[in-house]
Amino acid sequence: MPTDSEVDQVIHRALAAATRAPSVHNSQPWRFARRGRVIEVWLDRDRVLAVVDPHGHEARLSCGAALYTLRLALAVDGFAARVRVRPDGERDDLLAEVELDVRHRPTEQERTLAAAVPRRHTNRRPFLDRAVPERLRVPLARAAAAEGARLVLVDRPELFTPVADLIRRADRVQSGDPAYRAELRSWLAGPGRADGVPASALGRSPTPGGLVALRDFGAPEADFERVPLLAVLTTLGDTPADQVVAGQAMQRVLLTATASGLAVSPLSQPVEVPTTRRALGALVGGMVHTVLRIGYGHVGSPTRRRAVEEVAG
Ligand SMILES: Cc1cc2nc3c(=O)[nH]c(=O)nc-3n(C[C@H](O)[C@H](O)[C@H](O)COP(=O)(O)O)c2cc1C
């Protein structure tokens, strides 16, 4: 049996890994509480984005990504975890409980994915004009399935055109909304800030007329890859628990991509506008949680996180 102080160290390392998870606008909308060997994952309402995410959907995806990273860190540190995603996250902001269980021998895959945690970054730069081979696409879809979600690869032109149209349409709706633009500006991080999106991570904006629109952080324009690989993450339901499940799947897909040398940037605009979210769901089938742009890109740079002490109590 590990001593209490060993358990404390394991939990601290797992929380540090969890905070490396991606979150919408790097808002880090999570809090963690400890009860003995149980770690509770809470939604931090104060960090839910009022304009872009009024119902906390993307905040729960972000917390789900942190939850997956927490599980993975415990696994490579030699602990199985009993995870309970709470079904009633709408009324109660306690999203999940993770209980340290018996000793566990980490698998090769867990080690590979855990090693990708510090190397995973959102890459908003143009990708190379190099197709992602089938042998790397299949594991991405499997990663989502292993967590109870579905990753629909948009690899047929007859699907690509309407999906890209919906992304551009949602982006136009949002760009015309002063409240959206003001909220986005408020998450541009200056030096010294441990949340938000720093200038070093803004990448580039596609030149007008490009096939897909990236969120307009005001970055300088550049030509993007000619044929981006898009993928849509869905689940059957859309309860708060489904959103936490989708967040875990999202992070597993992102880490699988990173481990394969692929770069990714989420394109959430069509998910944030209710009409385009419905249209996208009708196109691919299921409840849509995010759209990912996947390809080969130069190595990104890390963005900052709040310290474990600030998010765990
Ligand atoms: C649910 C969710 C939605 C996101 N949507 C977008 C998006 O639409 N555009 C974008 O550029 N980044 C998006 N991101 C990426 C975040 O901005 C990014 O994770 C955060 O700034 C931290 O940076 P990192 O991923 O490099 O660690 C999203 C992330 C999450 C978890």
Side-chain angles (χ1 to χ4, degrees):
M1 277 305 266
T3 64
D4 285 352
S5 100
E6 277 166 349
V7 169
D8 287 351
Q9 286 171 23
V10 167
I11 290 181
H12 192 278
R13 279 196 291 273
L15 290 174
T19 62
R20 291 305 317 160
S23 60
V24 58
H25 293 8
N26 198 15
S27 54
Q28 304 167 40
W30 43 63
R31 282 189 298 114
F32 304 94
R34 168 107 185 258
R35 281 188 292 109
R37 292 186 172 216
V38 176
I39 307 163
E40 297 174 343
V41 181
W42 289 78
L43 175 71
D44 184 345
R45 285 269 163 195
D46 293 343
R47 290 182 161 266
V48 174
L49 306 177
V51 177
V52 97
D53 189 28
H55 305 293
H57 171 206
E58 291 184 288
R60 286 188 204 90
L61 292 178
S62 307
C63 290
L67 170 61
Y68 177 74
T69 320
L70 181 74
R71 283 168 47 202
L72 191 60
L74 292 174
V76 294
D77 235 339
F79 285 89
R82 226 191 295 243
V83 179
R84 199 165 85 87
V85 175
R86 306 243 315 182
D88 55 354
E90 194 73 85
R91 281 171 289 125
D92 182 351
D93 294 338
L94 174 57
L95 299 181
E97 290 158 309
V98 180
E99 183 175 2
L100 260 69
D101 204 356
V102 290
R103 297 298 301 209
H104 163 80
R105 187 191 294 271
T107 64
E108 200 47 48
Q109 189 186 45
E110 285 166 343
R111 287 188 197 283
T112 303
L113 294 179
V117 169
R119 292 190 286 114
R120 182 215 56 79
H121 312 299
T122 299
N123 187 331
R124 301 183 183 85
R125 290 177 175 272
F127 295 162
L128 303 178
D129 271 319
R130 176 175 159 201
V132 176
E134 189 66 22
R135 70 181 167 79
L136 298 187
R137 295 179 187 213
V138 172
L140 298 177
R142 285 205 184 122
E147 296 301 323
R150 192 163 75 106
L151 190 73
V152 181
L153 292 166
V154 182
D155 46 10
R156 290 176 290 123
E158 61 274 23
L159 188 56
F160 181 87
T161 304
V163 170
D165 274 351
L166 287 171
I167 296 171
R168 288 194 303 265
R169 194 194 307 169
D171 192 67
R172 274 198 304 276
V173 170
Q174 292 185 318
S175 302
D177 176 359
Y180 169 83
R181 291 201 308 271
E183 186 179 70
L184 191 56
R185 270 198 308 276
S186 73
W187 285 95
L188 290 175
R193 192 169 155 182
D195 59 4
V197 183
S200 58
L202 294 186
R204 294 285 179 273
S205 295
T207 40
L211 276 180
V212 293
L214 266 69
R215 207 194 278 292
D216 185 9
F217 284 100
E221 286 175 4
D223 288 334
F224 271 56
E225 64 275 15
R226 278 195 296 272
V227 188
L229 174 61
L230 301 179
V232 184
L233 185 77
T234 69
T235 53
L236 282 179
D238 194 28
T239 64
D242 291 320
Q243 295 167 2
V244 175
V245 165
Q248 294 187 84
M250 174 183 185
Q251 176 70 334
R252 187 156 173 170
V253 170
L254 295 176
L255 295 175
T256 304
T258 304
S260 303
L262 295 170
V264 184
S265 66
L267 304 172
S268 301
Q269 305 98 310
V271 178
E272 293 163 350
V273 174
T275 49
T276 51
R277 186 178 185 212
R278 276 196 296 278
L280 193 51
L283 260 180
V284 300
M287 303 306 301
V288 176
H289 297 287
T290 193
V291 180
L292 302 174
R293 167 182 158 257
I294 304 168
Y296 288 95
H298 300 291
V299 185
S301 56
T303 51
R304 291 190 59 192
R305 296 294 188 273
R306 292 175 300 148
V308 169
E309 291 65 30
E310 209 178 312
V311 296

